């Protein structure tokens, strides 16, 4: 068996663009692209391009019963699409920018050639696949919770991208609102409103202005334990 250290740390973001920029053909094979908040990219639009997110956040969803079901976010240093796993994706899916995006469109043969030379152990691809695997595993956990538990779980996941302004307090990302949280949890906006009202009354959440803030992280985690909602081992 491989030792744990054989695999790259999925929490440590490897700078793939630095490797690509070091190649003399970089400017002939890559170009920057801006994507506005709300813009949607589908399988047909993306085609065979590889897209690297430099700034901003996108969400990945798949089609079911004439609606798109949220799966996970993609953030800076992540690839929007890699051909190695596209056959495992649903037939109809889309990426939507939930903030303004700046990224790079990369010629895939160029990408393969540079990585074969500069990353012979495939740490960049392994990190990408391990990270994607974890996101889909989290999505499977979320799908098996009841509606209220899904809202709690989504808030918990958003805390990972939050700002620890002070002890026992986390500011959630600026893009968080009732509509986004309802989309993440696949529930109605009215249920999200009720859950957030309860958290406010328990003096756990402040959502009257952005950024939303978990003002008592300890009590929120106790609530997660009380509801028996799965959390990461390190928490």
């Amino acid at each position: 068996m491989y030792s744990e250290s054989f695999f790259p740390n999925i929490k440590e973001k490897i700078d793939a663009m630095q490797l690509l920029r070091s190649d003399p053909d970089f400017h002939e094979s890559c170009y920057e692209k801006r994507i506005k908040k709300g813009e949607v990219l589908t399988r047909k639009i993306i085609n065979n391009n590889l897209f690297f997110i430099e700034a901003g956040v996108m969400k990945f969803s798949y089609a079911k019963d004439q609606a798109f079901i949220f799966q996970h976010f993609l953030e800076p240093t992540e690839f929007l699409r890699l051909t190695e796993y596209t056959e495992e994706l649903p037939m109809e899916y889309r990426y939507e920018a939930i903030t303004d995006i700046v990224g790079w469109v990369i010629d895939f043969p160029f990408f393969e050639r540079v990585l074969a030379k500069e990353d012979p152990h495939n740490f960049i691809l392994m990190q990408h696949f391990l990270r994607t695997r974890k996101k889909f595993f989290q999505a499977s956990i979320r799908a098996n919770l009841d509606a209220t538990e899904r809202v709690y779980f989504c808030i918990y996941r958003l805390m990972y991208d939050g700002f620890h302004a002070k002890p026992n307090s986390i500011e959630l990302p600026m893009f968080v609102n009732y509509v986004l949280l309802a989309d993440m949890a696949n529930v109605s906006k009215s249920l999200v409103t009720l859950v957030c009202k309860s958290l406010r009354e328990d003096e756990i959440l402040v959502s009257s202005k952005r950024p939303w803030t978990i003002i008592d992280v300890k009590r929120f985690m106790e609530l997660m334990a009380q509801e028996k909602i799965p959390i990461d081992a390190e928490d």
Side-chain angles (χ1 to χ4, degrees), residues 20-180:
L20 299 178
R21 285 190 177 98
S22 67
D23 191 278
D25 294 331
F26 172 76
H27 292 289
E28 294 181 2
S29 305
C30 308
Y31 64 90
E32 282 188 286
K33 181 178 178 64
R34 293 187 179 93
I35 301 174
K36 294 182 179 180
K37 177 182 176 180
E39 186 174 344
V40 172
L41 302 180
T42 63
R43 177 192 292 264
K44 183 177 180 180
I45 294 173
I46 297 170
N47 199 9
N48 293 320
N49 292 326
L50 179 63
F51 187 80
F52 177 87
I53 300 175
E54 192 165 58
V57 180
M58 302 195 80
K59 66 177 182 179
F60 171 76
S61 307
Y62 71 91
K64 180 183 179 183
D65 299 332
Q66 298 182 336
F68 280 91
I69 309 300
F70 171 86
Q71 288 298 288
H72 61 77
F73 292 119
L74 292 104
E75 300 171 303
T77 75
E78 294 193 78
F79 294 101
L80 194 66
R81 181 179 184 273
L82 276 173
T83 56
E84 278 80 358
Y85 69 86
T86 51
E87 293 182 358
E88 300 177 16
L89 296 177
M91 178 60 66
E92 190 174 358
Y93 62 84
R94 71 180 189 179
Y95 298 93
E96 179 180 348
I98 59 174
T99 68
D100 288 341
I101 302 289
V102 176
W104 287 87
V105 176
I106 303 167
D107 176 71
F108 194 73
F110 166 77
F111 175 80
E112 288 184 307
R113 178 176 62 77
V114 173
L115 261 62
K117 176 183 176 183
E118 302 292 343
D119 184 29
H121 297 295
N122 291 318
F123 272 12
I124 290 175
L125 291 180
M126 276 198 293
Q127 184 188 64
H128 172 81
F129 294 134
L130 289 170
R131 187 184 295 167
T132 301
R133 176 182 176 275
K134 181 177 182 179
K135 290 183 177 186
F136 280 116
F137 179 65
Q138 291 167 350
S140 71
I141 292 175
R142 184 179 66 242
N144 286 285
L145 300 173
D146 69 31
T148 299
E149 291 171 345
R150 291 200 299 273
V151 178
Y152 290 143
F153 184 78
C154 290
I155 292 173
Y156 166 69
R157 298 310 316 171
L158 288 164
M159 288 165 59
Y160 272 72
D161 295 319
F163 180 76
H164 293 246
K166 54 185 177 181
N168 202 36
S169 177
I170 297 178
E171 294 178 357
L172 301 182
M174 289 294 292
F175 57 76
V176 176
N177 56 38
Y178 293 106
V179 174
L180 178 88

